[in-house]
């Protein structure tokens, strides 16, 4: 429990964090990796390069300061981050190292403005927050290890099948190398892969949504090949998986994790909206929901550049044909002549409010995932249509961002 004086000092730093937060976190990572390069085996280098990790940490530090009088209110955010930490294998001994360099970065950026009193207050606050993370993550490790087929570290899996789903998405079916059982998962969760790419000094960690229904003797992940684009190089791990990993090869994975999970027992209709590879967690969700509740009212909308990059067409077609209360629509930004003849093609361009209102019930539970620009557009549409936040569920691929 933090005393009143400490909380007051933390609250007084809120304007500074609002202005200098990302500068502090950028400096933090520079200092951390310079002193502990072995931690580069854990952190996603792409998120570092694009600044997403620095922004996410700055937002987390700012939120902690804003809610310092009631740290319990940030517990949902702690749990969300802890899911990622458990998947990555973060351990209690990492927290003192992070705390040490976070305080150094605050001092380095703020200079004399970071008085001994401020540094001590943040040291106390960090200790309380780190303790919360460690406690939550310990429970998650125990849960992952104790459930049937579970494990707590990284486990070897054989690529039993490699299936091309579209021009840019390939599925990998992962079977445990030891032949033993594997733990189940909730639709929407992900696997963390630990990959050693030839020529790279450090291992690469990536988290990929599970795209099949749970309860099978394998896991399936479906990976988009990230090609080079303006201001961004080609995806290191996605291209390695697509080009080099073959059936029979072995990959290391931690147990399924994540807090983006389908609520199976809702009485509301359910609407799924996916953009690009954001369909991967939603494929697990929609298939599971209809298997367990075949009469449920379901609407699925997938947005893509064109039909060539639209994965799982046949699966969605089959669901719409089999279940009478299920509707499926394809929205293509730049459809070909062939795309326009596709029987589920519904709209050229983008999802918009008037069209969504015409095909989906607004009293539904809405699940969506995709590129950040797509997610921001969907969130803006839903709020404009008066959909309550309690009905809105989404997942960021990578560090948590903001859709507001």
């Amino acid at each position: 429990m933090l005393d009143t004086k400490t909380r007051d000092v933390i609250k007084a730093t809120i304007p500074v964090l609002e202005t200098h937060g990302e500068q502090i976190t950028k400096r933090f990572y520079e200092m951390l990796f310079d002193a502990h390069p072995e931690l580069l085996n854990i952190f996603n280098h792409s998120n570092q390069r694009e600044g997403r990790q620095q922004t996410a940490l700055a937002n987390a530090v700012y939120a902690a300061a804003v809610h310092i009088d009631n740290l319990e209110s940030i517990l949902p955010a702690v749990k969300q981050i802890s899911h990622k930490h458990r998947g990555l294998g973060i351990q209690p001994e990492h927290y003192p190292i992070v705390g040490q360099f976070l305080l150094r970065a605050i001092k380095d950026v703020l200079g004399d403005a970071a008085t001994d009193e401020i540094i001590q207050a943040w040291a106390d606050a960090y200790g309380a927050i780190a303790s919360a993370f460690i406690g939550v993550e310990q429970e998650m490790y125990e849960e992952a290890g104790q459930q049937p087929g579970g494990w707590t570290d990284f486990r070897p899996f054989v690529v039993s099948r490699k299936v091309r789903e579209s021009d840019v998405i390939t599925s990998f079916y992962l079977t445990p190398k030891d032949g033993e059982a594997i733990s189940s998962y909730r639709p929407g969760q992900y696997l963390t892969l630990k990959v050693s790419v030839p020529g790279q000094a450090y291992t690469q960690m990536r988290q990929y949504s599970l795209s099949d229904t749970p309860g099978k003797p394998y896991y399936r992940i479906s990976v988009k090949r990230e090609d080079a684009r303006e201001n961004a190089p080609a995806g290191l791990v996605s291209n390695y998986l697509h080009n080099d990993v073959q059936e029979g090869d072995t990959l290391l994975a931690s147990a399924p994790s994540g807090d983006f999970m389908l609520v199976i027992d809702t009485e509301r209709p359910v609407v799924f909206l996916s953009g690009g590879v954001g369909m991967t967690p939603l494929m697990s969700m929609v298939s599971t929901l209809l298997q367990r509740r075949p009469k449920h009212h379901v609407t699925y909308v997938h947005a893509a550049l064109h039909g060539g990059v639209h994965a799982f067409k046949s699966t969605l077609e089959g669901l719409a044909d089999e279940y009478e209360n299920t509707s499926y629509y394809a929205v293509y930004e730049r459809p070909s002549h062939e795309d326009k003849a596709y029987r589920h093609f519904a709209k050229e361009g983008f999802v918009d409010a008037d069209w969504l209102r015409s095909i989906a019930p607004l009293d539904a539970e809405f699940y969506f995932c995709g590129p950040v620009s797509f997610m921001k557009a969907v969130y803006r549409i839903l709020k404009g249509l008066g959909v309550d936040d309690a009905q809105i569920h989404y997942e960021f691929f990578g560090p948590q961002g903001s859709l507001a």
Side-chain angles (χ1 to χ4, degrees), residues 339-399:
D339 289 338
K340 291 181 180 180
Y342 178 46
R343 65 187 175 108
H344 288 284
F345 174 72
K347 189 178 188 301
E348 180 175 356
F350 304 95
V351 175
D352 60 54
D354 289 341
W355 180 78
L356 186 61
R357 184 194 290 113
S358 73
I359 60 100
L362 298 183
D363 62 340
E365 299 285 351
F366 289 85
Y367 293 84
F368 59 94
C369 187
V372 173
S373 57
F374 169 82
M375 292 173 62
K376 286 185 174 181
V378 170
Y379 183 78
R380 184 171 60 250
I381 289 168
L382 294 180
K383 294 308 297 177
L385 292 173
V387 178
D388 190 82
D389 278 334
Q391 298 166 237
I392 297 175
H393 318 276
Y394 55 86
E395 168 88 320
F396 280 94
F397 285 165

Side-chain angles (χ1 to χ4, degrees), residues 99-318:
Q100 175 188 0
F101 285 93
L102 183 59
L103 296 176
R104 286 189 186 181
I106 292 172
K107 185 66 177 177
D108 189 72
V109 171
L110 300 184
D112 291 341
T115 63
D116 290 346
E117 183 181 49
I118 288 174
I119 295 299
Q120 185 57 55
W122 267 106
D124 293 342
Y126 176 81
I129 295 166
S131 179
F133 272 100
I134 291 169
V136 169
E137 287 159 21
Q138 180 61 35
E139 292 179 1
M140 290 181 176
Y141 279 111
E142 291 174 357
E143 180 183 1
Q146 292 173 4
Q147 66 176 298
W151 70 101
T152 57
D153 199 355
F154 284 85
R155 183 176 176 182
F157 284 79
V158 175
V159 179
S160 55
R161 291 177 64 200
K162 182 179 178 182
V163 179
R164 184 176 183 269
E165 306 287 4
S166 76
D167 293 350
V168 294
I169 295 175
T170 292
S171 287
F172 297 81
Y173 290 73
L174 306 178
T175 305
K177 192 169 186 177
D178 59 15
E180 300 294 329
I182 55 175
S183 56
S184 189
Y185 57 91
R186 296 277 297 278
Q189 292 191 301
Y190 53 78
L191 283 186
T192 303
L193 298 189
K194 179 191 284 189
V195 181
S196 295
V197 179
Q200 296 296 312
Y202 301 102
T203 57
Q204 307 288 323
M205 300 281 206
R206 295 293 187 275
Q207 293 171 325
Y208 295 110
S209 297
L210 290 149
S211 60
D212 208 342
T213 53
K216 297 182 177 178
Y218 59 80
Y219 295 129
R220 185 181 74 182
I221 59 171
S222 303
V223 180
K224 179 188 176 187
R225 184 188 68 245
E226 296 292 349
D227 297 322
R229 60 189 190 279
E230 186 178 359
N231 300 322
L236 179 65
V237 176
S238 68
N239 277 272
Y240 171 70
L241 292 173
H242 273 251
N243 300 331
D244 299 303
V245 172
Q246 304 299 329
E247 293 180 359
D249 289 346
T250 299
L251 295 170
L252 295 175
S254 61
S257 189
D259 70 336
F260 182 52
M261 296 178 284
L262 175 69
V263 179
I264 294 280
D265 59 356
T266 180
E267 294 305 315
R268 293 178 181 273
V270 178
V271 178
F272 298 101
L273 299 110
S274 57
V277 75
M279 72 189 314
T280 52
L282 303 191
M283 290 304 301
S284 179
M285 289 183 174
V286 66
S287 298
T288 303
L289 177 60
L290 290 172
Q291 281 183 14
R292 299 185 187 180
R293 305 187 67 184
K295 295 184 178 181
H296 206 79
H297 190 292
V298 172
T299 304
Y300 195 106
V301 177
H302 182 64
L305 185 64
H306 53 72
V309 295
H310 182 170
F312 301 113
K313 277 185 182 178
S314 61
T315 301
L316 290 168
E317 291 165 7

